[in-house]
Every structure is written in C-alpha cells, then in structure tokens.
Amino acid sequence: MLTVDWQPERMTAVVRTVVRGRARWARRLVDAVLRAYPRAPADRPRELCRFLTNRGGIPRTRVRRRLMTPTRVVRMRWGAPPINDLAELAAFLGVDGDALDWFADRREINRQARDEKLRHFRYAWLPHRLIEAPKPRLRTMQRRLLDRILSRVPVHDSVHGFVPGRGTHTFARAHAGQAVLISLDLRAFFSSITAARIYGLFRGIGYPEPVAHALTALTTTRTPARVLRAAPDPHLAALLRQPHLPQGAPTSPALANLCAFRLDRRLSGLAGRFGLTYGRYADDLAFSGTLDSTGIARLVTLAGQITGEEGFRIHPGKTRVRRQSQRQSLTGLVVNAHPAASRKDYDTLRAILHNAAVHGLAAANRDNHPDFAAHLAGRVAWMSHHHPSRAAKLHQLLARTAGDQPRGPSSVSNSRSS
C-alpha cells in the first residue's frame, strides 16, 4: 500500500497485484486502513503491518509478488534534520552501511565479546554506579547526534543540568533564601531509562521507524555479563542487563533530560499545588518555599508516587529536609542567602593552589588529574562565580601556579596573607 498514492482505488489495485486470487476482501481492507490512517504512514511501516495483522475477517492468502519502498519522514519537529532511511543516516554520520550496522551492534557483539578490541565501550565501576564510556569513533558519532539533533529539542524550564546557559548556580539560585529546602535523589537515573523510551523519543522527533531504531541502538547499550559481576546490588545489575542509557556517553545527559520531561512537568505542577519552587539537576530534585511538617511529608509521598509512575525511583536514604536555621546546600553550594561554595571548600582550594605554587603542579596533583592545570582553572571559575572578593584572591593564586616549576615559599608569601 505504501508504494502507491494513498487513494482507495490505487491501494486496492496494488493489494490485488501482490496476492493470489481475486482478493474480494481487498477493498474492505483498504477502507479500514484509510479510516485508521487518513495519511500514508510512510514513516511507520511496522506499525501498519501490525494493524493489518490484527485485522479480522481476512482469509489466509499467499503473497506472489513483493513491492518495497523506502521509509520517509512525514513530519519533523523542532527543526531537527530529516533523515529518511538508514542510507541517509549513515551519510549523516559519515560512515558506510556496514559501519553503521557494526556500531548499532544489532548482533550484540559488544555484550558477548571477550576481546576488548571488539567492544564499543570501556567500563569503570565507581561507588553505586558504572561508567560506560564509548570509544572514540562511537563517541564522535554520538557527539554529532547531540549537536545536530538533540540540542534542538527543548527541555523543561525546571531543568538545569547539562543545558546550555544553565548549571549548578542557576539551579541553586532558584532555591536561595527559602524557609525550607527539600531535596531528593533519583536512584540509577541513567540506567533506569530504557531503550524503548529512547525509541519513543526519536519517533516523537519525527524519525521513521528504522532510523529511530538505529539511533536508539547507537545511544543505548547492554552491559556485558562479565562486567555485571562487580555490580554493588542486584537492582542495578538488573537495570544494566537491559538496553539502557550508558552513563559516560555524550548523548546520555540530553536524552535523560528529554525522557524525564513528563516527570519534570508533573513535579513542577505538584510544587505549584504546594506553593513551592521545583528544579532538577541531573538526578537531584529540589523543592523550596514555605511548608509545615505535615505538608512536607505529603509532598515527599506524592513526589515518590509520581516518580515511580514515570519509571524512576527515589533513593530512600537521600531525602533531606533543611530549614533556614540549618545549612541548606544544593550541588555543593550553600543557598541559605545566595548560592556560594562553603568556606571549607574555599579554604581547601586555596591550600591546593598554594601547594601547587610552592611545590609545582605535579606534586600537588594527588588525584592524578590528566590535565591538572585545566582542572584547577575550572575549580577557580566555579568557586568564584558571583563572588568578586574570592575571585580576586583565587585568580591571583592560580596565576602563580603557571608552569610546572616549584616557586618556593617566599614567592607565594602574599597568597598566605590574602
């Protein structure tokens, strides 16, 4: 049917050309299809196939001729680039069809391979989470998908993590100076997001079924059994055993934000019912405002129910309620008055900078950062945000760590006095 114009006469005629016999039922079938699909579902042939398969009253028949047509985009959303079929997807990613099939890993070679060279990911266990980092070629393809497709799809206004122009400070600023701050943590945030949800997202953007399946395969993975043996708990292992978002892929944060859109919308509405402000930074949820103890308990219960209905879980041991008389913090920033790093963190960074200035960057790099100078510059920028006095002192210390030669105590005496 998809090989001809979406008109009843043409569709009936083509049905009769591909089956044996007169097919008296062909027009009834076409009329049913047209009622269900006023427009040709050229982007979803599998869905149309399921519809035809589930139709009753059609006798069993033999196909004598097969007609094929490529899938094509029907409607794209948010200005994402149209990709009609797998050939166009391969060209979009700068690879050939065989390479696309290899990286999509439809035969699950990555999961079953014992040879590290055949795997698309490198694995590293951290406490309570697994880092699954794609190797360079797959990472390059994922980066292109992020830059050209996912960056065009809007996220909820309450989301601050992994969104250009937003970050930890904008997240914290929305909750600064409030009477009560309630923070919750999503358990196994990335690995809770299944391949089925990613496929639904790409279909929602407008990509045809085969393209959406391939995009899903390029951005999700199943963790090999040998890696799962080191899982800290059975629940996490069960999530990682299924196709999921890998924590460590450049596409995963954006995909997670988009898949959590309904969660954010519902929790934002819940906050509005209580007169509170809601925000999310990755797996950190925050509500702030004025609320009594009974209201807090009710809010936490309802937030847990909504989170479960949306396919996520609240970590039971990481729910925090802090009032103005206590230290309120989010993403490492104290928010009792305005977002600022704690004095302890500030003093620790000053000590590290002083040590680097006296003894050299290599001696001060106790955690073996691959680019310690860039790491320190990032820490200084983060610590200095909207804090001019700290900024001046930290940048002065940072300037004295330039190079990799020890300076000697006398050359950094001013930094101590600051």
Side-chain angles (χ1 to χ4, degrees):
M1 293 184 186
L2 293 173
T3 64
V4 297
D5 294 337
W6 206 245
Q7 300 296 330
E9 293 78 12
R10 298 292 303 276
M11 296 164 67
T12 302
V14 77
V15 168
R16 287 173 174 160
T17 64
V18 300
V19 301
R20 294 186 181 277
R22 299 181 63 180
R24 298 178 185 274
W25 44 264
R27 183 54 186 261
R28 286 189 288 110
L29 179 64
V30 168
D31 289 343
V33 169
L34 287 173
R35 285 194 297 270
Y37 297 95
R39 297 180 182 179
D43 59 338
R44 41 201 165 128
R46 297 180 185 181
E47 180 185 308
L48 178 58
C49 181
R50 287 193 297 271
F51 176 83
L52 295 171
T53 302
N54 294 330
R55 285 288 301 170
I58 299 172
R60 294 186 62 183
T61 185
R62 288 187 177 183
V63 174
R64 65 178 179 180
R65 181 184 177 194
R66 295 188 180 274
L67 302 178
M68 305 294 293
T69 185
T71 57
R72 67 177 186 274
V73 166
V74 172
R75 182 175 69 96
M76 296 299 298
R77 302 177 67 188
W78 302 298
I83 302 174
N84 288 292
D85 52 35
L86 295 181
E88 290 189 13
L89 177 60
F92 176 81
L93 295 172
V95 298
D96 59 26
D98 289 339
L100 176 62
D101 187 62
W102 166 254
F103 286 108
D105 197 28
R106 297 175 186 176
R107 291 173 289 177
E108 291 199 332
I109 294 175
N110 177 75
R111 178 173 171 77
Q112 300 173 15
R114 294 180 177 272
D115 188 345
E116 174 66 27
K117 295 179 181 179
L118 297 177
R119 291 183 176 177
H120 299 316
F121 292 85
R122 294 187 175 93
Y123 303 92
W125 279 104
L126 299 179
H128 311 298
R129 68 185 63 192
L130 174 65
I131 301 300
E132 300 176 287
K135 292 181 179 179
R137 289 190 66 191
L138 179 58
R139 175 176 288 273
T140 298
M141 297 167 68
Q142 291 174 341
R143 178 65 64 179
R144 186 171 182 82
L145 296 177
L146 173 64
D147 294 341
R148 296 287 302 278
I149 296 176
L150 300 178
S151 63
R152 303 193 178 191
V153 185
V155 301
H156 196 273
D157 292 339
S158 300
V159 178
H160 295 267
F162 316 110
V163 180
R166 307 179 203 173
T168 55
H169 286 84
T170 61
F171 176 55
R173 191 181 307 131
H175 303 280
Q178 298 293 333
V180 63
L181 173 65
I182 306 162
S183 58
L184 305 95
D185 183 83
L186 295 177
R187 188 174 184 180
F189 180 49
F190 287 99
S191 51
S192 294
I193 299 175
T194 63
R197 298 179 72 167
I198 302 301
Y199 171 76
L201 173 65
F202 282 121
R203 285 288 295 120
I205 294 173
Y207 290 111
E209 288 172 336
V211 176
H213 275 293
L215 291 171
T216 300
L218 290 171
T219 53
T220 61
T221 187
R222 294 180 66 191
T223 308
R226 298 179 67 185
V227 178
L228 290 177
R229 292 171 189 165
D233 67 78
H235 172 70
L236 179 58
L239 294 174
L240 296 173
R241 192 173 290 115
Q242 303 302 317
H244 61 275
L245 278 185
Q247 185 166 354
T251 45
S252 291
L255 286 169
N257 279 342
L258 296 174
C259 286
F261 187 92
R262 267 178 44 108
L263 171 69
D264 294 319
R265 185 175 62 184
R266 294 185 66 185
L267 291 180
S268 181
L270 177 66
R273 286 171 52 190
F274 284 85
L276 303 176
T277 298
Y278 165 74
R280 180 174 64 81
Y281 187 95
D283 56 359
D284 293 327
L285 312 178
F287 299 85
S288 63
T290 302
L291 200 62
D292 60 21
S293 298
T294 302
I296 291 172
R298 180 65 175 159
L299 173 75
V300 171
T301 299
L302 291 174
Q305 291 177 357
I306 292 173
T307 301
E309 292 168 0
E310 294 301 323
F312 300 96
R313 292 178 63 186
I314 297 293
H315 196 297
K318 293 188 177 181
T319 297
R320 299 285 185 271
V321 178
R322 287 156 291 188
R323 301 187 181 276
Q324 267 289 336
S325 58
Q326 303 167 297
R327 192 177 86 159
Q328 299 174 328
S329 62
L330 284 174
T331 57
L333 296 170
V334 179
V335 296
N336 290 72
H338 56 82
S342 68
R343 181 72 194 192
K344 178 181 178 181
D345 291 341
Y346 170 63
D347 290 340
T348 299
L349 180 57
R350 285 185 61 191
I352 294 173
L353 291 169
H354 175 77
N355 188 30
V358 174
H359 302 291
L361 288 170
N365 187 13
R366 297 179 180 176
D367 293 328
N368 297 317
H369 291 282
D371 189 344
F372 191 49
H375 169 75
L376 288 178
R379 289 279 304 275
V380 168
W382 184 81
M383 193 77 66
S384 303
H385 193 77
H386 285 291
H387 207 304
S389 61
R390 285 186 177 182
K393 296 174 183 178
L394 292 175
H395 279 94
Q396 183 182 22
L397 281 169
L398 181 65
R400 291 172 179 169
T401 67
D404 196 23
Q405 298 300 319
R407 305 289 180 182
S410 60
S411 64
V412 291
S413 57
N414 290 336
S415 67
R416 291 181 176 180
S417 62
S418 65

